[in-house]
């Protein structure tokens, strides 16, 4: 299946903004299907048939539909192995890459949601992430090694994390430490990221 046959279900100023950045980094040929979240278009029967959770991002590649942010990122990055954004099987970075892709949704987002709602994480035996402080320390220590999440190599994990951390900093849900700020600034300086942001700004205007 040719990787150019990608339909991207998207709305700016949502989690799918990072997916657009990834598509631009991959130099993918994709078509956007806009879903106005303010008008509830993500809840139409047509879209719920593709993603019953009614969330973006989602992508359709031929007959394949992929939902859930980290899964979308991993799927797209592997469609374009020549771009080098997904460590291949056998690459020593493959394990760390998968770990951080999954850690985002399984630990980071739950911790940030609890923080934003000012609620306790629950008992250690049932909490998926341990503690908010533990999650923040782990991220900061990883980014101190820089310049990217896995060291010198830039991957799709950076697109996922840096795009998310930009929002998290804006909402002041994580301390504006030097490693986190510098990481987000490096990411936003990339031409593909600036291009994606400009394209989304045109839609939002």
């Amino acid at each position: 299946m040719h990787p150019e046959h990608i339909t991207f279900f998207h709305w700016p100023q949502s989690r799918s903004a990072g997916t657009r950045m990834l598509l631009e980094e991959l130099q993918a040929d994709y078509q956007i299907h806009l879903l106005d979240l303010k008008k509830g278009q993500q809840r139409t029967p047509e879209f719920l048939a593709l993603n019953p959770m009614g969330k973006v991002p989602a992508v359709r590649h031929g007959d394949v539909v992929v939902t859930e942010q980290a899964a979308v990122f991993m799927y797209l990055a592997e469609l374009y192995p020549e771009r080098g954004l997904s460590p291949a099987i056998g690459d020593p970075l493959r394990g760390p890459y998968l770990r951080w892709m999954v850690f985002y949704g399984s630990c980071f987002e739950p911790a940030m949601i609890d923080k934003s709602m000012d609620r306790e994480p629950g008992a250690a035996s049932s909490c998926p992430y341990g503690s908010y402080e533990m999650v923040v320390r782990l991220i900061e220590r990883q980014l101190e090694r820089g310049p990217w999440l896995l060291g010198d190599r830039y991957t799709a994990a950076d697109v996922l994390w840096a795009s998310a951390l930009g929002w998290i900093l804006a909402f002041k849900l994580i301390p504006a430490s030097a490693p986190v700020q510098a990481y987000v600034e490096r990411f936003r300086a990339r031409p593909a990221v600036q291009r994606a942001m400009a394209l989304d700004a045109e839609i939002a205007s």
Side-chain angles (χ1 to χ4, degrees):
M1 187 183 300
H2 198 281
E4 290 182 353
H5 294 90
I6 297 169
T7 301
F8 169 40
F9 297 89
H10 173 53
W11 184 248
Q13 299 179 335
S14 75
R15 284 177 175 83
S16 66
T19 304
R20 184 162 209 180
M21 295 171 183
L22 177 62
L23 287 164
E24 290 295 323
E25 288 278 12
L26 294 169
Q27 301 175 45
D29 185 3
Y30 62 97
Q31 292 181 326
I32 286 186
H33 185 122
L34 288 175
L35 294 170
D36 190 331
L37 304 190
K38 296 177 181 178
K39 295 180 179 179
Q41 291 178 351
Q42 76 278 22
R43 297 292 180 184
T44 63
E46 292 79 11
F47 184 64
L48 290 176
L50 293 174
N51 184 4
M53 297 300 293
K55 299 190 300 181
V56 292
V59 296
R60 184 168 56 210
H61 177 224
D63 294 330
V64 177
V65 174
V66 186
T67 67
E68 301 308 315
Q69 197 169 11
V72 169
F73 271 61
M74 289 187 282
Y75 186 87
L76 291 175
E78 290 180 5
L79 281 182
Y80 293 86
E82 69 276 13
R83 306 299 182 206
L85 295 187
S86 175
I89 294 175
D91 188 318
L93 288 179
R94 178 74 174 178
Y97 168 77
L98 294 175
R99 172 203 178 191
W100 282 101
M101 293 298 272
V102 174
F103 184 81
Y104 173 82
S106 63
C107 295
F108 177 73
E109 278 220 350
M112 295 303 108
I113 291 170
D114 282 347
K115 179 69 173 178
S116 71
M117 299 185 71
D118 196 26
R119 65 189 184 193
E120 293 298 319
S125 60
S126 58
C127 176
Y129 60 86
S131 73
Y132 166 84
E133 292 77 15
M134 184 186 303
V135 170
V136 171
R137 284 199 303 271
L138 183 61
I139 294 167
E140 289 178 341
R141 284 201 301 266
Q142 188 71 15
L143 294 180
E144 284 171 355
R145 305 174 185 180
W148 302 113
L149 192 66
L150 302 182
D152 291 331
R153 182 171 173 184
Y154 181 77
T155 70
D158 290 298
V159 187
L160 176 65
W161 276 93
S163 61
L165 285 171
W167 285 100
I168 294 299
L169 284 174
F171 286 102
K172 298 181 179 180
L173 293 176
I174 194 171
S177 63
V180 174
Q181 283 189 310
Y183 177 64
V184 171
E185 289 171 6
R186 277 193 298 275
F187 173 72
R188 288 183 171 175
R190 294 181 65 86
V193 174
Q194 293 188 349
R195 188 165 60 247
M197 292 172 68
L199 290 168
D200 271 358
E202 291 178 9
I203 297 171
S205 62

mmCIF file of all heavy atoms in Angstrom, residues 43-71:
data_model
loop_
_atom_site.group_PDB
_atom_site.id
_atom_site.type_symbol
_atom_site.label_atom_id
_atom_site.label_comp_id
_atom_site.label_asym_id
_atom_site.label_seq_id
_atom_site.Cartn_x
_atom_site.Cartn_y
_atom_site.Cartn_z
ATOM 1 N N ARG A 43 -18.599 13.917 16.913
ATOM 2 C CA ARG A 43 -19.635 13.041 17.474
ATOM 3 C C ARG A 43 -20.665 12.610 16.431
ATOM 4 O O ARG A 43 -21.697 12.025 16.780
ATOM 5 C CB ARG A 43 -20.357 13.766 18.625
ATOM 6 C CG ARG A 43 -19.457 14.110 19.800
ATOM 7 C CD ARG A 43 -19.002 12.875 20.529
ATOM 8 N NE ARG A 43 -18.137 13.188 21.651
ATOM 9 C CZ ARG A 43 -17.536 12.281 22.409
ATOM 10 N NH1 ARG A 43 -17.747 10.995 22.164
ATOM 11 N NH2 ARG A 43 -16.740 12.630 23.392
ATOM 12 N N THR A 44 -20.387 12.880 15.177
ATOM 13 C CA THR A 44 -21.320 12.447 14.135
ATOM 14 C C THR A 44 -21.274 10.923 13.996
ATOM 15 O O THR A 44 -20.236 10.300 14.274
ATOM 16 C CB THR A 44 -20.972 13.086 12.788
ATOM 17 O OG1 THR A 44 -19.668 12.633 12.383
ATOM 18 C CG2 THR A 44 -21.005 14.606 12.866
ATOM 19 N N PRO A 45 -22.361 10.301 13.562
ATOM 20 C CA PRO A 45 -22.345 8.843 13.368
ATOM 21 C C PRO A 45 -21.249 8.389 12.423
ATOM 22 O O PRO A 45 -20.661 7.316 12.621
ATOM 23 C CB PRO A 45 -23.744 8.552 12.796
ATOM 24 C CG PRO A 45 -24.589 9.674 13.291
ATOM 25 C CD PRO A 45 -23.695 10.879 13.314
ATOM 26 N N GLU A 46 -20.953 9.206 11.398
ATOM 27 C CA GLU A 46 -19.937 8.822 10.416
ATOM 28 C C GLU A 46 -18.559 8.708 11.072
ATOM 29 O O GLU A 46 -17.827 7.739 10.841
ATOM 30 C CB GLU A 46 -19.889 9.853 9.275
ATOM 31 C CG GLU A 46 -21.124 9.887 8.392
ATOM 32 C CD GLU A 46 -22.276 10.655 9.022
ATOM 33 O OE1 GLU A 46 -22.062 11.347 10.049
ATOM 34 O OE2 GLU A 46 -23.401 10.559 8.480
ATOM 35 N N PHE A 47 -18.211 9.690 11.903
ATOM 36 C CA PHE A 47 -16.888 9.621 12.532
ATOM 37 C C PHE A 47 -16.861 8.603 13.661
ATOM 38 O O PHE A 47 -15.859 7.904 13.849
ATOM 39 C CB PHE A 47 -16.450 10.990 13.044
ATOM 40 C CG PHE A 47 -15.045 10.979 13.602
ATOM 41 C CD1 PHE A 47 -13.971 10.703 12.765
ATOM 42 C CD2 PHE A 47 -14.802 11.219 14.945
ATOM 43 C CE1 PHE A 47 -12.667 10.673 13.268
ATOM 44 C CE2 PHE A 47 -13.507 11.190 15.451
ATOM 45 C CZ PHE A 47 -12.437 10.917 14.607
ATOM 46 N N LEU A 48 -17.946 8.485 14.415
ATOM 47 C CA LEU A 48 -17.980 7.497 15.496
ATOM 48 C C LEU A 48 -17.869 6.077 14.968
ATOM 49 O O LEU A 48 -17.407 5.179 15.679
ATOM 50 C CB LEU A 48 -19.257 7.660 16.319
ATOM 51 C CG LEU A 48 -19.339 8.928 17.180
ATOM 52 C CD1 LEU A 48 -20.696 9.012 17.859
ATOM 53 C CD2 LEU A 48 -18.218 8.970 18.207
ATOM 54 N N ALA A 49 -18.258 5.872 13.710
ATOM 55 C CA ALA A 49 -18.073 4.554 13.094
ATOM 56 C C ALA A 49 -16.591 4.249 12.900
ATOM 57 O O ALA A 49 -16.176 3.082 12.897
ATOM 58 C CB ALA A 49 -18.798 4.491 11.756
ATOM 59 N N LEU A 50 -15.773 5.312 12.732
ATOM 60 C CA LEU A 50 -14.328 5.134 12.593
ATOM 61 C C LEU A 50 -13.644 5.097 13.952
ATOM 62 O O LEU A 50 -12.763 4.274 14.197
ATOM 63 C CB LEU A 50 -13.729 6.274 11.753
ATOM 64 C CG LEU A 50 -14.132 6.337 10.287
ATOM 65 C CD1 LEU A 50 -13.565 7.593 9.652
ATOM 66 C CD2 LEU A 50 -13.628 5.103 9.542
ATOM 67 N N ASN A 51 -14.033 6.007 14.814
ATOM 68 C CA ASN A 51 -13.453 6.076 16.152
ATOM 69 C C ASN A 51 -14.572 6.258 17.177
ATOM 70 O O ASN A 51 -15.038 7.384 17.395
ATOM 71 C CB ASN A 51 -12.457 7.233 16.260
ATOM 72 C CG ASN A 51 -11.771 7.250 17.625
ATOM 73 O OD1 ASN A 51 -11.974 6.367 18.451
ATOM 74 N ND2 ASN A 51 -10.949 8.261 17.851
ATOM 75 N N PRO A 52 -15.012 5.191 17.803
ATOM 76 C CA PRO A 52 -16.122 5.277 18.753
ATOM 77 C C PRO A 52 -15.853 6.211 19.937
ATOM 78 O O PRO A 52 -16.795 6.640 20.610
ATOM 79 C CB PRO A 52 -16.290 3.832 19.228
ATOM 80 C CG PRO A 52 -15.726 3.001 18.118
ATOM 81 C CD PRO A 52 -14.589 3.805 17.572
ATOM 82 N N MET A 53 -14.560 6.529 20.165
ATOM 83 C CA MET A 53 -14.234 7.441 21.254
ATOM 84 C C MET A 53 -14.508 8.895 20.875
ATOM 85 O O MET A 53 -14.512 9.776 21.735
ATOM 86 C CB MET A 53 -12.763 7.281 21.660
ATOM 87 C CG MET A 53 -12.424 5.903 22.199
ATOM 88 S SD MET A 53 -13.380 5.451 23.673
ATOM 89 C CE MET A 53 -12.732 6.609 24.866
ATOM 90 N N GLY A 54 -14.711 9.161 19.581
ATOM 91 C CA GLY A 54 -14.999 10.514 19.137
ATOM 92 C C GLY A 54 -13.862 11.485 19.383
ATOM 93 O O GLY A 54 -14.083 12.620 19.808
ATOM 94 N N LYS A 55 -12.632 11.035 19.133
ATOM 95 C CA LYS A 55 -11.456 11.861 19.400
ATOM 96 C C LYS A 55 -10.610 12.000 18.139
ATOM 97 O O LYS A 55 -10.633 11.149 17.254
ATOM 98 C CB LYS A 55 -10.594 11.242 20.500
ATOM 99 C CG LYS A 55 -11.276 11.077 21.844
ATOM 100 C CD LYS A 55 -10.269 10.679 22.918
ATOM 101 C CE LYS A 55 -9.580 9.361 22.595
ATOM 102 N NZ LYS A 55 -8.626 8.978 23.662
ATOM 103 N N VAL A 56 -9.846 13.083 18.091
ATOM 104 C CA VAL A 56 -8.788 13.232 17.112
ATOM 105 C C VAL A 56 -7.467 13.271 17.892
ATOM 106 O O VAL A 56 -7.453 13.653 19.058
ATOM 107 C CB VAL A 56 -8.970 14.523 16.266
ATOM 108 C CG1 VAL A 56 -10.168 14.415 15.373
ATOM 109 C CG2 VAL A 56 -9.037 15.772 17.146
ATOM 110 N N PRO A 57 -6.371 12.793 17.253
ATOM 111 C CA PRO A 57 -6.227 12.437 15.846
ATOM 112 C C PRO A 57 -6.731 11.036 15.537
ATOM 113 O O PRO A 57 -6.822 10.172 16.410
ATOM 114 C CB PRO A 57 -4.708 12.498 15.648
ATOM 115 C CG PRO A 57 -4.158 12.055 16.972
ATOM 116 C CD PRO A 57 -5.082 12.672 17.992
ATOM 117 N N ALA A 58 -7.009 10.855 14.256
ATOM 118 C CA ALA A 58 -7.263 9.542 13.677
ATOM 119 C C ALA A 58 -6.772 9.611 12.244
ATOM 120 O O ALA A 58 -6.795 10.674 11.626
ATOM 121 C CB ALA A 58 -8.747 9.188 13.730
ATOM 122 N N VAL A 59 -6.322 8.496 11.722
ATOM 123 C CA VAL A 59 -5.895 8.448 10.325
ATOM 124 C C VAL A 59 -6.506 7.221 9.660
ATOM 125 O O VAL A 59 -6.736 6.190 10.300
ATOM 126 C CB VAL A 59 -4.358 8.414 10.154
ATOM 127 C CG1 VAL A 59 -3.718 9.696 10.670
ATOM 128 C CG2 VAL A 59 -3.750 7.201 10.832
ATOM 129 N N ARG A 60 -6.785 7.388 8.377
ATOM 130 C CA ARG A 60 -7.223 6.263 7.553
ATOM 131 C C ARG A 60 -6.198 6.082 6.455
ATOM 132 O O ARG A 60 -5.867 7.022 5.736
ATOM 133 C CB ARG A 60 -8.611 6.517 6.971
ATOM 134 C CG ARG A 60 -9.152 5.317 6.176
ATOM 135 C CD ARG A 60 -10.622 5.489 5.876
ATOM 136 N NE ARG A 60 -10.866 6.747 5.173
ATOM 137 C CZ ARG A 60 -11.995 7.442 5.275
ATOM 138 N NH1 ARG A 60 -12.980 7.018 6.049
ATOM 139 N NH2 ARG A 60 -12.153 8.575 4.606
ATOM 140 N N HIS A 61 -5.689 4.876 6.334
ATOM 141 C CA HIS A 61 -4.658 4.554 5.354
ATOM 142 C C HIS A 61 -5.174 3.352 4.564
ATOM 143 O O HIS A 61 -5.103 2.214 5.020
ATOM 144 C CB HIS A 61 -3.345 4.223 6.067
ATOM 145 C CG HIS A 61 -2.237 3.817 5.159
ATOM 146 N ND1 HIS A 61 -1.414 2.752 5.437
ATOM 147 C CD2 HIS A 61 -1.812 4.332 3.977
ATOM 148 C CE1 HIS A 61 -0.521 2.634 4.472
ATOM 149 N NE2 HIS A 61 -0.752 3.571 3.586
ATOM 150 N N GLY A 62 -5.763 3.645 3.397
ATOM 151 C CA GLY A 62 -6.450 2.578 2.669
ATOM 152 C C GLY A 62 -7.638 2.115 3.481
ATOM 153 O O GLY A 62 -8.507 2.911 3.846
ATOM 154 N N ASP A 63 -7.684 0.830 3.808
ATOM 155 C CA ASP A 63 -8.770 0.286 4.622
ATOM 156 C C ASP A 63 -8.442 0.261 6.111
ATOM 157 O O ASP A 63 -9.246 -0.196 6.918
ATOM 158 C CB ASP A 63 -9.097 -1.139 4.160
ATOM 159 C CG ASP A 63 -9.666 -1.174 2.748
ATOM 160 O OD1 ASP A 63 -10.330 -0.186 2.361
ATOM 161 O OD2 ASP A 63 -9.436 -2.163 2.035
ATOM 162 N N VAL A 64 -7.268 0.728 6.469
ATOM 163 C CA VAL A 64 -6.817 0.685 7.861
ATOM 164 C C VAL A 64 -7.142 2.006 8.551
ATOM 165 O O VAL A 64 -6.828 3.078 8.034
ATOM 166 C CB VAL A 64 -5.296 0.426 7.940
ATOM 167 C CG1 VAL A 64 -4.820 0.468 9.391
ATOM 168 C CG2 VAL A 64 -4.952 -0.911 7.303
ATOM 169 N N VAL A 65 -7.766 1.924 9.719
ATOM 170 C CA VAL A 65 -8.036 3.100 10.537
ATOM 171 C C VAL A 65 -7.221 2.975 11.822
ATOM 172 O O VAL A 65 -7.241 1.923 12.476
ATOM 173 C CB VAL A 65 -9.529 3.235 10.877
ATOM 174 C CG1 VAL A 65 -9.759 4.387 11.858
ATOM 175 C CG2 VAL A 65 -10.350 3.435 9.610
ATOM 176 N N VAL A 66 -6.493 4.030 12.159
ATOM 177 C CA VAL A 66 -5.677 4.025 13.372
ATOM 178 C C VAL A 66 -6.122 5.192 14.254
ATOM 179 O O VAL A 66 -6.206 6.333 13.792
ATOM 180 C CB VAL A 66 -4.176 4.145 13.066
ATOM 181 C CG1 VAL A 66 -3.358 3.990 14.351
ATOM 182 C CG2 VAL A 66 -3.746 3.104 12.036
ATOM 183 N N THR A 67 -6.410 4.903 15.503
ATOM 184 C CA THR A 67 -6.762 5.911 16.493
ATOM 185 C C THR A 67 -5.809 5.770 17.674
ATOM 186 O O THR A 67 -4.982 4.857 17.708
ATOM 187 C CB THR A 67 -8.215 5.758 16.966
ATOM 188 O OG1 THR A 67 -8.339 4.521 17.698
ATOM 189 C CG2 THR A 67 -9.179 5.734 15.784
ATOM 190 N N GLU A 68 -5.948 6.654 18.631
ATOM 191 C CA GLU A 68 -5.093 6.752 19.819
ATOM 192 C C GLU A 68 -3.752 7.364 19.413
ATOM 193 O O GLU A 68 -3.066 6.873 18.526
ATOM 194 C CB GLU A 68 -4.903 5.418 20.541
ATOM 195 C CG GLU A 68 -6.193 4.788 21.010
ATOM 196 C CD GLU A 68 -7.044 5.743 21.841
ATOM 197 O OE1 GLU A 68 -6.492 6.427 22.724
ATOM 198 O OE2 GLU A 68 -8.267 5.823 21.600
ATOM 199 N N GLN A 69 -3.428 8.436 20.072
ATOM 200 C CA GLN A 69 -2.349 9.308 19.643
ATOM 201 C C GLN A 69 -1.018 8.592 19.426
ATOM 202 O O GLN A 69 -0.388 8.720 18.370
ATOM 203 C CB GLN A 69 -2.174 10.429 20.671
ATOM 204 C CG GLN A 69 -1.383 11.609 20.164
ATOM 205 C CD GLN A 69 -1.475 12.783 21.113
ATOM 206 O OE1 GLN A 69 -1.960 12.656 22.244
ATOM 207 N NE2 GLN A 69 -1.011 13.917 20.679
ATOM 208 N N ALA A 70 -0.555 7.836 20.408
ATOM 209 C CA ALA A 70 0.739 7.172 20.263
ATOM 210 C C ALA A 70 0.709 6.149 19.135
ATOM 211 O O ALA A 70 1.684 6.000 18.391
ATOM 212 C CB ALA A 70 1.141 6.512 21.573
ATOM 213 N N ALA A 71 -0.405 5.432 18.989
ATOM 214 C CA ALA A 71 -0.520 4.451 17.908
ATOM 215 C C ALA A 71 -0.465 5.132 16.549
ATOM 216 O O ALA A 71 0.172 4.634 15.611
ATOM 217 C CB ALA A 71 -1.817 3.653 18.056
#
